[in-house]
Amino acid sequence: MTEIVTAFAPASIGNLGVGFDMLGLALDGIGDRVSACRTDDAGVTIVEVRDLDGKLHLNLATDPEHNTASIAAQALWNDYGDDGGVELGVYKGVPLESGMGSSAASAVAAVVAVNELLGTPVSIERLLSYALVGERYASGGMHADNVAPCLLGGMIFCPRVLLPDTVRLPAPDGVSLVLMHPELKVDTAQARRKLAQSYSMEQWLSQQGYLGGFIAACAQNDIALIGKTLRDVIIEPQRIAVVPCFKAVKEAAEKSGALGVSLAGSGPSIFALCEDSVASDLAAAMEQACRGFDIECQSWVSSLHAPGAYVES
Amino acid sequence: MTEIVTAFAPASIGNLGVGFDMLGLALDGIGDRVSACRTDDAGVTIVEVRDLDGKLHLNLATDPEHNTASIAAQALWNDYGDDGGVELGVYKGVPLESGMGSSAASAVAAVVAVNELLGTPVSIERLLSYALVGERYASGGMHADNVAPCLLGGMIFCPRVLLPDTVRLPAPDGVSLVLMHPELKVDTAQARRKLAQSYSMEQWLSQQGYLGGFIAACAQNDIALIGKTLRDVIIEPQRIAVVPCFKAVKEAAEKSGALGVSLAGSGPSIFALCEDSVASDLAAAMEQACRGFDIECQSWVSSLHAPGAYVES
């Protein structure tokens, strides 16, 4: 009997507004699945890419050199595989180019599945480096802010200067995440290339001040301080032009009690943190503001303690 | 009988290496005293500036418009004083232009003394804004990284974007500060003007990553992470040319087990954090390295829980 291993990896929010390239959060209940089974042919191949409902996915390559799942799995296979190979099935729950860590979810699910198939030669923390190989292909940058929370769950601080080490941040009690995905697409790699390369001292000190305050706020469970520090004064202003509903959605979320609102990754999805009690009203307000621009959308409410990737079977 | 109030305010380390303009630490056992008593003449004047041993201080102005103590006290007096005035005596324990927060200590001691003389109309936290008026005169910048720990004690995170709010960081257990003051002088305002005004994305993301990691490390009492994050890759390289012994002192401290070493403020003083058990050896090694350059020096070992300013009598 051929062994098939399936792993699930959640969607995630990179940057989390305040921590460009170094802070990310896993989402509850939405993610990708990757199945892996051994073959005699050498190396990693992809047999199919489907949506979770079984529909063939036409926008993603099954060419193993152009899919983050196979690229990440191949890196792991190079170090721990044998003369044979592995066939992957990729089942997408995370929308593409949504700012919800779609490429990271596939890469992470793939390395978790293949690692299990190989008898778990690598610890979950050390799988990060392999998943990052896939993420680098997708986004053009060596940042772990989707891959790390996707793999480990919860809220992870993962600046490049500390990689492969990462730091789990305690999630404040009583705070929820609302994520709203407008039916638009943003190419992450292209969005990165458009960012300014030079910043004034005032700019980076402001952003660094907000990030430091946010990390302290999480550690001290200080919700008021989260409300004062969940800000992106550097990257967000450079990116919102491609999301026409952003300003209206942000205002609607703030009016409904959001502690902070920003783009998820490079967008178009928009997230807010808020106290648990207002989360569902806030999601409704964000959707309504988005539909005011004739843009279809979908939203999720998530805990800040979402589990990371795991083997399902 | 004329009431005289005397307040003490400690020396402090601005920047603390990793948090330029937004992180500072109070020192134990070294500081300035300011005495205040009422006069019939309007406004704030300075009657004398002396060293703590009573010697007249020749390098500091008694002209109230050019001394941080009187400038800060005058700002408080403008809001809460009466038609009369106050005479200050300033007694310096903190060496001038040492990177040890000399101007902040005088400004803080002055506002604490005058506030007491007025019957404490202002809470200690709100005194920060008045002390900052003096600091701005001295350094040319509106940063609180000396004034805030000097006023409040311990380790304070105080980015400009959050002022007048500040955040107390928990000091990790078992960690000491070593401060070594070489007999050199650095003009803080001049040092600021020399800093580059533009920084690459890679530079600020690196420094932001270290600062975020350091704050998380303090919150989680993770001494190994302090050792990985107590770094200044942006400001320190621009400033060490004026402190010829810096590199040798830093190397000596690192060899003796320092978790991290950098300039105190704009220097010339050099600080290290280290585990308690190695602090005195580390201080000796830093002094020895400094004297190797024929530069006289003095060092202090301090807890990270030093008290802030207080009224002595």
Side-chain angles (χ1 to χ4, degrees):
Chain A
M1 194 184 107
T2 313
E3 187 190 8
I4 298 185
V5 172
T6 303
F8 174 87
S12 58
I13 298 181
N15 302 344
L16 205 61
V18 65
F20 178 65
D21 267 12
M22 61 185 74
L23 183 63
L25 180 68
L27 260 82
D28 228 349
I30 172 169
D32 286 0
R33 279 193 176 80
V34 170
S35 65
C37 73
R38 287 178 169 282
T39 62
D40 294 333
D41 299 335
V44 177
T45 53
I46 296 184
V47 288
E48 59 180 7
V49 182
R50 292 182 184 271
D51 287 338
L52 283 185
D53 59 12
K55 208 168 56 183
L56 268 182
H57 210 299
L58 300 176
N59 296 318
L60 262 188
T62 53
D63 176 349
E65 290 182 15
H66 296 289
N67 188 299
T68 62
S70 42
I71 290 169
Q74 183 69 56
L76 180 63
W77 193 262
N78 289 346
D79 284 357
Y80 295 95
D82 51 35
D83 289 347
V86 60
E87 280 181 351
L88 303 180
V90 179
Y91 308 97
K92 298 292 301 175
V94 186
L96 299 188
E97 302 187 342
S98 61
M100 293 166 65
S102 173
S103 56
S106 293
V108 167
V111 295
V112 170
V114 171
N115 191 48
E116 179 76 8
L117 201 67
L118 290 169
T120 61
V122 179
S123 69
I124 191 100
E125 287 77 16
R126 284 191 48 235
L127 282 179
L128 181 70
S129 304
Y130 298 102
L132 272 173
V133 176
E135 181 70 347
R136 186 172 47 186
Y137 172 80
S139 75
M142 195 66 179
H143 49 89
D145 53 329
N146 285 108
V147 164
C150 175
L151 183 67
L152 304 170
M155 184 157 50
I156 305 288
F157 183 64
C158 50
R160 189 167 168 176
V161 290
L162 294 182
L163 291 179
D165 291 353
T166 63
V167 182
R168 176 175 300 284
L169 298 185
D173 297 332
V175 175
S176 289
L177 167 79
V178 176
L179 181 73
M180 197 275 294
H181 172 226
E183 292 285 343
L184 303 165
K185 292 201 184 299
V186 171
D187 181 308
T188 308
Q190 199 176 47
R192 282 190 86 74
R193 287 192 295 269
K194 283 185 181 168
L195 293 174
Q197 287 306 307
S198 174
Y199 296 86
S200 71
M201 181 182 279
E202 192 188 336
Q203 280 182 302
W204 70 262
L205 289 183
S206 296
Q207 195 56 47
Q208 182 170 288
Y210 287 127
L211 177 64
F214 182 80
I215 292 174
C218 290
Q220 298 173 14
N221 210 37
D222 183 338
I223 291 181
L225 187 55
I226 288 176
K228 287 175 190 162
T229 55
L230 184 50
R231 302 246 191 301
D232 172 7
V233 293
I234 292 195
I235 304 297
E236 181 185 300
Q238 299 185 65
R239 285 184 160 170
I240 54 176
V242 298
V243 187
C245 58
F246 179 79
K247 220 179 137 191
V249 171
K250 181 170 180 169
E251 280 173 13
E254 285 173 341
K255 263 191 201 156
S256 302
L259 298 167
V261 186
S262 192
L263 290 172
S266 53
S269 293
I270 302 167
F271 81 93
L273 295 190
C274 62
E275 297 194 50
D276 295 341
S277 57
V278 301
S280 57
D281 286 354
L282 205 143
M286 289 170 78
E287 285 199 20
Q288 191 184 9
C290 182
R291 293 205 172 93
F293 285 74
D294 280 330
I295 301 171
E296 256 319 295
C297 57
Q298 192 180 359
S299 67
W300 294 263
V301 172
S302 172
S303 119
L304 306 192
H305 301 91
Y310 54 90
V311 174
E312 288 188 314
S313 61
Chain B
M1 195 185 107
T2 314
E3 187 191 8
I4 298 184
V5 172
T6 303
F8 174 86
S12 58
I13 299 181
N15 303 342
L16 205 63
V18 66
F20 178 65
D21 265 11
M22 60 184 77
L23 183 62
L25 180 68
L27 261 82
D28 230 351
I30 170 169
D32 286 0
R33 280 192 175 81
V34 171
S35 66
C37 73
R38 287 177 170 283
T39 62
D40 295 334
D41 299 336
V44 177
T45 52
I46 295 184
V47 287
E48 59 179 7
V49 182
R50 292 182 182 269
D51 289 337
L52 283 186
D53 59 11
K55 207 167 55 184
L56 268 182
H57 209 300
L58 300 176
N59 298 318
L60 263 188
T62 53
D63 177 350
E65 291 182 15
H66 296 288
N67 188 297
T68 64
S70 42
I71 291 169
Q74 183 69 56
L76 180 65
W77 193 263
N78 289 345
D79 284 357
Y80 295 94
D82 50 35
D83 290 347
V86 60
E87 281 182 350
L88 302 180
V90 179
Y91 308 97
K92 300 291 302 174
V94 186
L96 298 188
E97 302 187 340
S98 62
M100 294 167 64
S102 172
S103 56
S106 292
V108 167
V111 294
V112 170
V114 172
N115 190 48
E116 179 77 9
L117 200 65
L118 289 168
T120 60
V122 179
S123 70
I124 191 102
E125 286 77 15
R126 285 191 47 237
L127 281 180
L128 182 69
S129 304
Y130 297 102
L132 272 173
V133 175
E135 181 70 347
R136 186 172 47 187
Y137 172 79
S139 75
M142 195 65 177
H143 50 89
D145 53 328
N146 284 108
V147 163
C150 174
L151 184 66
L152 305 169
M155 184 157 49
I156 305 287
F157 183 64
C158 50
R160 189 167 167 176
V161 290
L162 294 181
L163 292 179
D165 291 352
T166 63
V167 182
R168 175 174 302 283
L169 299 185
D173 298 331
V175 175
S176 289
L177 167 79
V178 176
L179 180 74
M180 197 275 294
H181 171 225
E183 292 285 345
L184 303 165
K185 292 199 184 299
V186 171
D187 180 309
T188 308
Q190 196 176 49
R192 283 189 86 75
R193 287 192 296 271
K194 283 186 183 168
L195 292 174
Q197 286 306 306
S198 174
Y199 296 86
S200 72
M201 181 182 279
E202 193 187 335
Q203 280 182 303
W204 69 264
L205 290 182
S206 295
Q207 194 57 45
Q208 182 170 286
Y210 287 126
L211 177 64
F214 182 81
I215 292 174
C218 290
Q220 298 172 15
N221 211 36
D222 183 338
I223 291 180
L225 188 55
I226 289 176
K228 287 174 189 163
T229 55
L230 184 50
R231 303 247 190 299
D232 172 4
V233 293
I234 292 194
I235 305 297
E236 181 184 299
Q238 299 183 65
R239 284 182 160 170
I240 54 176
V242 296
V243 188
C245 58
F246 180 79
K247 219 179 137 191
V249 171
K250 183 171 180 168
E251 280 173 13
E254 285 173 342
K255 263 193 203 157
S256 303
L259 298 167
V261 186
S262 192
L263 290 172
S266 52
S269 293
I270 302 167
F271 80 93
L273 296 190
C274 63
E275 298 194 51
D276 294 342
S277 57
V278 300
S280 59
D281 285 353
L282 207 143
M286 290 170 77
E287 286 199 20
Q288 190 183 10
C290 182
R291 294 205 173 93
F293 285 72
D294 280 329
I295 301 171
E296 255 318 295
C297 58
Q298 191 179 0
S299 67
W300 294 265
V301 172
S302 172
S303 121
L304 306 191
H305 301 91
Y310 55 89
V311 173
E312 290 188 313
S313 60

